[in-house]
PDB file of all heavy atoms in Angstrom:
ATOM      1  N   GLN A 446     -16.975  45.619 -11.670  1.00 95.00           N
ATOM      2  CA  GLN A 446     -17.314  46.323 -10.459  1.00 95.00           C
ATOM      3  C   GLN A 446     -18.754  46.832 -10.534  1.00 95.00           C
ATOM      4  O   GLN A 446     -19.435  46.740 -11.554  1.00 95.00           O
ATOM      5  CB  GLN A 446     -16.380  47.521 -10.289  1.00 95.00           C
ATOM      6  CG  GLN A 446     -14.921  47.150 -10.126  1.00 95.00           C
ATOM      7  CD  GLN A 446     -14.108  48.367  -9.789  1.00 95.00           C
ATOM      8  OE1 GLN A 446     -14.390  49.118  -8.863  1.00 95.00           O
ATOM      9  NE2 GLN A 446     -13.058  48.597 -10.567  1.00 95.00           N
ATOM     10  N   TRP A 447     -19.172  47.460  -9.462  1.00 95.00           N
ATOM     11  CA  TRP A 447     -20.543  47.933  -9.237  1.00 95.00           C
ATOM     12  C   TRP A 447     -21.116  48.736 -10.402  1.00 95.00           C
ATOM     13  O   TRP A 447     -22.258  48.528 -10.797  1.00 95.00           O
ATOM     14  CB  TRP A 447     -20.567  48.785  -7.979  1.00 95.00           C
ATOM     15  CG  TRP A 447     -19.628  49.978  -8.052  1.00 95.00           C
ATOM     16  CD1 TRP A 447     -18.272  49.949  -8.018  1.00 95.00           C
ATOM     17  CD2 TRP A 447     -19.997  51.336  -8.214  1.00 95.00           C
ATOM     18  NE1 TRP A 447     -17.749  51.201  -8.138  1.00 95.00           N
ATOM     19  CE2 TRP A 447     -18.783  52.096  -8.259  1.00 95.00           C
ATOM     20  CE3 TRP A 447     -21.197  52.036  -8.316  1.00 95.00           C
ATOM     21  CZ2 TRP A 447     -18.758  53.470  -8.400  1.00 95.00           C
ATOM     22  CZ3 TRP A 447     -21.187  53.407  -8.454  1.00 95.00           C
ATOM     23  CH2 TRP A 447     -19.966  54.115  -8.481  1.00 95.00           C
ATOM     24  N   ALA A 448     -20.313  49.660 -10.992  1.00 95.00           N
ATOM     25  CA  ALA A 448     -20.847  50.506 -12.068  1.00 95.00           C
ATOM     26  C   ALA A 448     -20.807  49.817 -13.424  1.00 95.00           C
ATOM     27  O   ALA A 448     -21.319  50.362 -14.396  1.00 95.00           O
ATOM     28  CB  ALA A 448     -20.042  51.813 -12.134  1.00 95.00           C
ATOM     29  N   GLU A 449     -20.208  48.621 -13.482  1.00 96.00           N
ATOM     30  CA  GLU A 449     -20.029  47.915 -14.750  1.00 96.00           C
ATOM     31  C   GLU A 449     -20.946  46.691 -14.876  1.00 96.00           C
ATOM     32  O   GLU A 449     -20.817  45.936 -15.816  1.00 96.00           O
ATOM     33  CB  GLU A 449     -18.580  47.454 -14.879  1.00 96.00           C
ATOM     34  CG  GLU A 449     -17.574  48.585 -14.813  1.00 96.00           C
ATOM     35  CD  GLU A 449     -16.167  48.124 -14.544  1.00 96.00           C
ATOM     36  OE1 GLU A 449     -15.983  46.940 -14.154  1.00 96.00           O
ATOM     37  OE2 GLU A 449     -15.232  48.925 -14.734  1.00 96.00           O
ATOM     38  N   GLU A 450     -21.852  46.523 -13.929  1.00 97.00           N
ATOM     39  CA  GLU A 450     -22.694  45.351 -13.908  1.00 97.00           C
ATOM     40  C   GLU A 450     -24.030  45.669 -13.266  1.00 97.00           C
ATOM     41  O   GLU A 450     -24.153  46.606 -12.474  1.00 97.00           O
ATOM     42  CB  GLU A 450     -22.016  44.217 -13.124  1.00 97.00           C
ATOM     43  CG  GLU A 450     -21.736  44.596 -11.676  1.00 97.00           C
ATOM     44  CD  GLU A 450     -20.896  43.565 -10.936  1.00 97.00           C
ATOM     45  OE1 GLU A 450     -20.332  42.675 -11.578  1.00 97.00           O
ATOM     46  OE2 GLU A 450     -20.829  43.659  -9.702  1.00 97.00           O
ATOM     47  N   THR A 451     -25.030  44.900 -13.581  1.00 98.00           N
ATOM     48  CA  THR A 451     -26.347  45.009 -12.952  1.00 98.00           C
ATOM     49  C   THR A 451     -26.501  43.874 -11.936  1.00 98.00           C
ATOM     50  O   THR A 451     -26.007  42.757 -12.149  1.00 98.00           O
ATOM     51  CB  THR A 451     -27.447  44.937 -14.017  1.00 98.00           C
ATOM     52  OG1 THR A 451     -27.341  46.081 -14.858  1.00 98.00           O
ATOM     53  CG2 THR A 451     -28.825  44.911 -13.398  1.00 98.00           C
ATOM     54  N   GLY A 452     -27.200  44.154 -10.877  1.00 98.00           N
ATOM     55  CA  GLY A 452     -27.438  43.136  -9.843  1.00 98.00           C
ATOM     56  C   GLY A 452     -28.159  43.737  -8.674  1.00 98.00           C
ATOM     57  O   GLY A 452     -28.325  44.960  -8.580  1.00 98.00           O
ATOM     58  N   THR A 453     -28.591  42.884  -7.761  1.00 98.00           N
ATOM     59  CA  THR A 453     -29.329  43.365  -6.584  1.00 98.00           C
ATOM     60  C   THR A 453     -28.493  43.221  -5.323  1.00 98.00           C
ATOM     61  O   THR A 453     -27.639  42.353  -5.206  1.00 98.00           O
ATOM     62  CB  THR A 453     -30.642  42.580  -6.393  1.00 98.00           C
ATOM     63  OG1 THR A 453     -30.354  41.201  -6.183  1.00 98.00           O
ATOM     64  CG2 THR A 453     -31.548  42.745  -7.603  1.00 98.00           C
ATOM     65  N   THR A 454     -28.762  44.099  -4.380  1.00 98.00           N
ATOM     66  CA  THR A 454     -28.221  44.014  -3.022  1.00 98.00           C
ATOM     67  C   THR A 454     -29.379  44.199  -2.051  1.00 98.00           C
ATOM     68  O   THR A 454     -30.468  44.653  -2.433  1.00 98.00           O
ATOM     69  CB  THR A 454     -27.159  45.068  -2.752  1.00 98.00           C
ATOM     70  OG1 THR A 454     -27.741  46.374  -2.878  1.00 98.00           O
ATOM     71  CG2 THR A 454     -25.987  44.954  -3.724  1.00 98.00           C
ATOM     72  N   THR A 455     -29.147  43.865  -0.804  1.00 97.00           N
ATOM     73  CA  THR A 455     -30.163  44.022   0.242  1.00 97.00           C
ATOM     74  C   THR A 455     -29.558  44.839   1.367  1.00 97.00           C
ATOM     75  O   THR A 455     -28.585  44.436   1.983  1.00 97.00           O
ATOM     76  CB  THR A 455     -30.641  42.656   0.764  1.00 97.00           C
ATOM     77  OG1 THR A 455     -31.072  41.858  -0.348  1.00 97.00           O
ATOM     78  CG2 THR A 455     -31.812  42.821   1.730  1.00 97.00           C
ATOM     79  N   SER A 456     -30.128  45.979   1.639  1.00 97.00           N
ATOM     80  CA  SER A 456     -29.557  46.929   2.586  1.00 97.00           C
ATOM     81  C   SER A 456     -29.806  46.513   4.021  1.00 97.00           C
ATOM     82  O   SER A 456     -30.515  45.543   4.303  1.00 97.00           O
ATOM     83  CB  SER A 456     -30.143  48.318   2.342  1.00 97.00           C
ATOM     84  OG  SER A 456     -31.467  48.380   2.835  1.00 97.00           O
ATOM     85  N   LEU A 457     -29.269  47.292   4.960  1.00 96.00           N
ATOM     86  CA  LEU A 457     -29.462  46.995   6.363  1.00 96.00           C
ATOM     87  C   LEU A 457     -30.922  47.057   6.787  1.00 96.00           C
ATOM     88  O   LEU A 457     -31.304  46.491   7.822  1.00 96.00           O
ATOM     89  CB  LEU A 457     -28.636  47.942   7.244  1.00 96.00           C
ATOM     90  CG  LEU A 457     -29.118  49.364   7.476  1.00 96.00           C
ATOM     91  CD1 LEU A 457     -28.251  50.029   8.563  1.00 96.00           C
ATOM     92  CD2 LEU A 457     -29.128  50.218   6.244  1.00 96.00           C
ATOM     93  N   GLU A 458     -31.791  47.699   6.016  1.00 96.00           N
ATOM     94  CA  GLU A 458     -33.219  47.752   6.307  1.00 96.00           C
ATOM     95  C   GLU A 458     -33.965  46.517   5.823  1.00 96.00           C
ATOM     96  O   GLU A 458     -35.160  46.382   6.069  1.00 96.00           O
ATOM     97  CB  GLU A 458     -33.860  48.951   5.602  1.00 96.00           C
ATOM     98  CG  GLU A 458     -33.310  50.323   5.969  1.00 96.00           C
ATOM     99  CD  GLU A 458     -33.976  51.383   5.117  1.00 96.00           C
ATOM    100  OE1 GLU A 458     -33.822  51.354   3.882  1.00 96.00           O
ATOM    101  OE2 GLU A 458     -34.654  52.238   5.701  1.00 96.00           O
TER     102      GLU A 458
END
Side-chain angles (χ1 to χ4, degrees):
Q446 298 186 53
W447 59 289
E449 302 164 346
E450 60 188 12
T451 295
T453 61
T454 61
T455 306
S456 74
L457 78 170
E458 301 176 297

